[in-house]
Amino acid sequence: MLDLTKEIIYQIYPRSFQDSNGDGIGDIQGIISRLDYLEMLGVSCLWLNPVYPSPGCDNGYDVADYKEIDPVFGNLQDMKKLIEEAEKRGMKIMLDMVFNHTSTEHGWFKRALSGEKKYQDYYFFKAPAPGGGPPTNWKSKFGGTCWEYVPNLGLYYLHLFDKGQADLNWENPQVRKEIMEVLDFWLELGVKGFRFDVINLISKRAFEDDSDGDGRSYYTDGPKVEQYLKEIRAHIGEDILTVGELSSVSAERCAAYTKPENRELSMAFHFHHLKVDYPDGEKWRLMPFDFNHLRETLHEWDMKMQEKGGWSALFFNCHDQPRSLSRFGNDRRYQARWAKLLASLTLTRRGTPYIYQGEEIGMTNAGFECLDDYRDVESLNSYQILRDNGLSEEETLQILAARSRDNARTPMQWRREGGFTEGEPWISENQNKRTVNVEDSLKDPESVFHFYRELIRLRKSSDAIQKGRIEMIRMDNDSIYAYKRSYGDEEIVCLHNFTENKLPIRRDFKDHQVLLSSCEKPDQTCLSPCECRILKKTA
Ligand code: GLC
Ligand code: CA
């Protein structure tokens, strides 16, 4: 039986994890060669970003064939082998399903373009607006309009993301049937989980101009998302783990999608805590993050999900976010401690934790200084938009260095020399590989890596952490993020010092037993700079 409270998921960005043949691109054989490392870490499931054939305009999120492996990553045999080898080590494989859109190179879209009505109905082809121009004023998530004109059809098609990613029309039962077949295909191969990309965008409400926004209210959490999710769940059954990526969702809706009784998703990614450094919700403007805002956001979501019976995917890093250590911690000073503090916040809250490749060794933003280093379509488009808005080259590059998704996509740092590839990596490595790497981490008992292992072990041994209630603890000092997890008689207290100063701890915790601390010798009366400490209440 699937038990979400026991899962710990590790996200692999295959392109940057391990290259096995020297072409500079990570691949499935590379992942297989690192399974012992992942087993040692103690995770239960590996989620892989898309590995399907794709022209690559959005690094594989533009899928041209849902039932194949892109030759740069290997083939179906390799995938089968990966599933078997992972299973031998007690880990399941979760694949990324990108069903809001297909690549415009997908066979369905090509047939649509060649005029086949049946396949045009797989997508949203619309006539120009009455006065000409795009059918609505909505904006693409990657900048510009989300409609692309096809001259020989005299129609526009919808793409909420890049123009190489055409939105699928889920209203069409034939589309849903195709999707079920794709799921069956991977289930048969032995896949045990699915991550559904931007899944709350699949049901479009109406095609009208948005008078006060970018269009998102017309397609976010649309009227039929829940019905479609129920269909999927009924089809794949209860033992398959699913996680939905939810864009701009409310806590109420998020809980509804993930409550067990509703039989929709096992859990969901939500992003409000990763917008606390966006001034007025704007990603491409810099602002330091506000600790209180971060804590209150996390807390509010933890409480609402608990009250309403939903289940969260807990994460601070993924392939779409700059590295959290550079963002919410400090990548120059006390690095290891900050990384451990963020690890504790990920692994001791209520939900299923996700570890993104490299965070377990404290990888940081690459902070590229030159435009040529960037690969990501969103970053490149944003560069252009910022420049067009009058920002200087220098200002623009500074923003990219902090905000680009490529910060999370640099190669995994296995050794001082890199160890990711024998060839030229598809994207530059972070130069701190000499000090931040797996090889050194394994040797150092105080490393971030070993702290993750300890935390994972602790989590597995504690009902309170895995499935207990969560409750905020108000501290005298406002810079400590503290909460309690409890189940039956077991009570665990988690303290996180979000400053680089020593801070006193409340008296009533002094008798608690220290289960884990990010400092070698925790001081009974004080938290050290950016220390996290996990305590257990004794009788
Ligand atoms: C999700 C993916 C992201 C991709 C987008 C479009 O947000 O995580 O990488 O660009 O969907 O598929
Ligand atoms: Ca390769």
Side-chain angles (χ1 to χ4, degrees):
M1 250 282 283
L2 182 63
D3 182 353
L4 300 176
T5 68
K6 296 204 154 43
E7 298 290 339
I8 297 171
I9 300 174
Y10 187 92
Q11 181 188 352
I12 293 181
Y13 196 68
R15 193 171 288 276
S16 300
F17 192 62
Q18 177 68 68
D19 178 22
S20 71
N21 60 356
D23 66 356
I25 301 177
D27 45 52
I28 298 175
Q29 283 299 338
I31 300 174
I32 295 174
S33 73
R34 295 296 185 181
L35 287 174
D36 290 339
Y37 167 77
L38 297 168
E39 184 187 15
M40 184 181 13
L41 181 59
V43 296
S44 64
C45 175
L46 308 177
W47 152 33
L48 272 56
N49 289 97
V51 284
Y52 322 104
S54 160
C57 71
D58 184 18
N59 277 8
Y61 281 92
D62 45 331
V63 179
D65 183 350
Y66 289 113
K67 301 183 192 165
E68 252 307 338
I69 300 290
D70 194 301
V72 299
F73 296 119
N75 55 39
L76 285 166
Q77 251 48 56
D78 296 330
M79 182 55 89
K80 178 117 191 105
K81 179 92 178 148
L82 171 63
I83 293 169
E84 287 165 5
E85 290 297 318
E87 200 174 302
K88 279 190 205 156
R89 295 166 177 82
M91 297 179 282
K92 46 180 158 246
I93 299 292
M94 176 195 271
L95 291 187
D96 211 320
M97 295 287 138
V98 189
F99 291 145
N100 176 67
H101 41 263
T102 74
S103 162
T104 48
E105 295 292 311
H106 193 289
W108 304 335
F109 195 81
K110 288 193 190 154
R111 295 176 74 167
L113 280 190
S114 71
E116 282 186 57
K117 182 79 182 68
K118 174 180 169 191
Y119 288 99
Q120 288 178 4
D121 286 343
Y122 274 37
Y123 299 91
F124 297 102
F125 281 93
K126 302 276 176 204
T136 70
N137 64 353
W138 306 349
K139 295 274 169 288
S140 151
K141 302 269 184 193
F142 293 159
T145 170
C146 63
W147 294 99
E148 181 73 8
Y149 189 60
V150 185
N152 68 319
L153 297 176
L155 299 171
Y156 284 85
Y157 69 84
L158 176 72
H159 60 88
L160 294 182
F161 293 86
D162 187 69
K163 66 174 189 291
Q165 297 166 297
D167 279 52
L168 278 170
N169 175 10
W170 280 65
E171 288 277 329
N172 181 345
Q174 190 61 38
V175 166
R176 303 203 307 273
K177 190 163 162 271
E178 301 264 19
I179 284 168
M180 301 302 171
E181 282 173 24
V182 173
L183 295 172
D184 289 342
F185 176 85
W186 294 108
L187 290 174
E188 244 161 72
L189 204 77
V191 166
K192 291 282 190 312
F194 296 115
R195 179 245 189 204
F196 295 118
D197 190 57
V198 290
I199 198 67
N200 63 331
L201 308 186
I202 57 177
S203 166
K204 277 71 175 168
R205 201 165 266 126
F207 291 90
E208 293 162 13
D209 275 349
D210 188 351
S211 52
D212 51 20
D214 59 6
R216 69 182 65 189
S217 60
Y218 286 90
Y219 55 72
T220 306
D221 297 321
K224 297 202 179 142
V225 181
E226 293 195 52
Q227 175 203 317
Y228 298 151
L229 288 172
K230 287 186 205 304
E231 284 176 24
I232 290 180
R233 179 67 164 266
H235 188 84
I236 63 180
E238 298 297 314
D239 280 335
I240 301 301
L241 200 144
T242 61
V243 56
E245 185 201 22
L246 304 180
S247 164
S248 307
V249 74
S250 67
E252 288 70 23
R253 286 301 298 260
C254 187
Y257 286 131
T258 57
K259 241 172 137 113
E261 313 81 281
N262 283 356
R263 301 206 144 70
E264 293 170 21
L265 295 167
S266 316
M267 58 184 132
F269 291 108
H270 42 83
F271 294 86
H272 291 67
H273 62 297
L274 297 178
K275 297 189 175 166
V276 295
D277 51 2
Y278 290 8
D280 301 321
E282 249 189 81
K283 172 168 179 171
W284 301 101
R285 253 172 60 205
L286 297 184
M287 172 178 98
F289 91 98
D290 173 49
F291 164 68
N292 278 311
H293 190 186
L294 175 68
R295 180 181 51 187
E296 295 312 316
T297 307
L298 287 169
H299 177 59
E300 181 194 329
W301 275 78
D302 284 348
M303 295 318 285
K304 285 197 177 149
M305 292 294 273
Q306 170 165 277
E307 274 159 32
K308 300 187 188 313
W311 195 251
S312 294
L314 304 173
F315 73 109
F316 274 97
N317 290 288
C318 72
H319 64 293
D320 289 331
Q321 298 289 330
R323 294 274 177 184
S324 67
L325 176 54
S326 302
R327 191 173 172 189
F328 303 121
N330 186 342
D331 57 14
R332 305 263 141 103
R333 201 160 107 110
Y334 293 123
Q335 279 131 296
R337 283 226 202 127
W338 279 114
K340 292 174 185 179
L341 174 136
L342 291 165
S344 165
L345 273 183
T346 308
L347 280 138
T348 62
R349 288 176 26 253
R350 181 181 172 277
T352 296
Y354 282 69
I355 300 169
Y356 177 64
Q357 70 180 44
E359 72 170 75
E360 78 279 14
I361 54 166
M363 278 178 66
T364 63
N365 279 353
F368 294 139
E369 283 165 11
C370 123
L371 190 64
D372 284 349
D373 282 328
Y374 288 96
R375 299 285 175 273
D376 169 34
V377 57
E378 184 201 34
S379 310
L380 297 171
N381 289 353
S382 301
Y383 173 85
Q384 210 41 61
I385 294 169
L386 294 172
R387 291 306 311 272
D388 292 347
N389 288 346
L391 265 70
S392 71
E393 170 90 10
E394 197 190 336
E395 285 166 322
T396 308
L397 286 174
Q398 207 185 341
I399 296 178
L400 287 192
R403 291 287 153 89
S404 168
R405 308 193 290 185
D406 280 339
N407 281 307
R409 300 177 178 185
T410 59
M412 183 71 182
Q413 294 162 206
W414 294 104
R415 293 199 311 265
R416 289 181 193 172
E417 315 73 50
F420 161 70
T421 181
E422 305 274 286
E424 189 61 35
W426 71 277
I427 186 170
S428 303
E429 292 168 300
N430 188 327
Q431 288 317 307
N432 68 8
K433 65 188 177 188
R434 285 180 198 84
T435 49
V436 177
N437 60 67
V438 171
E439 190 182 33
D440 290 340
S441 303
L442 293 180
K443 287 187 213 141
D444 173 8
E446 300 300 323
S447 69
V448 176
F449 178 82
H450 287 295
F451 192 78
Y452 268 85
R453 286 184 74 196
E454 291 291 320
L455 262 175
I456 290 172
R457 206 175 305 151
L458 177 60
R459 187 180 163 93
K460 285 182 180 164
S461 70
S462 164
D463 282 340
I465 299 180
Q466 291 186 117
K467 57 186 176 188
R469 286 190 58 78
I470 186 162
E471 227 178 287
M472 177 84 116
I473 304 174
R474 291 286 166 188
M475 304 289 281
D476 301 337
N477 190 301
D478 218 27
S479 301
I480 299 178
Y481 186 171
Y483 47 86
K484 188 159 85 183
R485 304 294 317 273
S486 51
Y487 188 83
D489 293 338
E490 189 191 354
E491 201 176 295
I492 303 281
V493 170
C494 306
L495 305 176
H496 306 85
N497 175 1
F498 258 88
T499 72
E500 295 184 352
N501 308 318
K502 248 178 139 176
L503 296 178
I505 327 185
R506 249 167 54 177
R507 270 166 201 281
D508 43 328
F509 296 143
K510 288 190 185 136
D511 306 327
H512 283 40
Q513 178 196 350
V514 178
L515 296 179
L516 191 62
S517 157
S518 55
C519 288
E520 256 178 274
K521 289 200 183 66
D523 171 339
Q524 278 251 310
T525 58
C526 276
L527 286 175
S528 294
C530 43
E531 178 185 347
C532 67
R533 192 181 295 182
I534 302 172
L535 308 166
K536 184 181 180 136
K537 188 174 174 186
T538 49

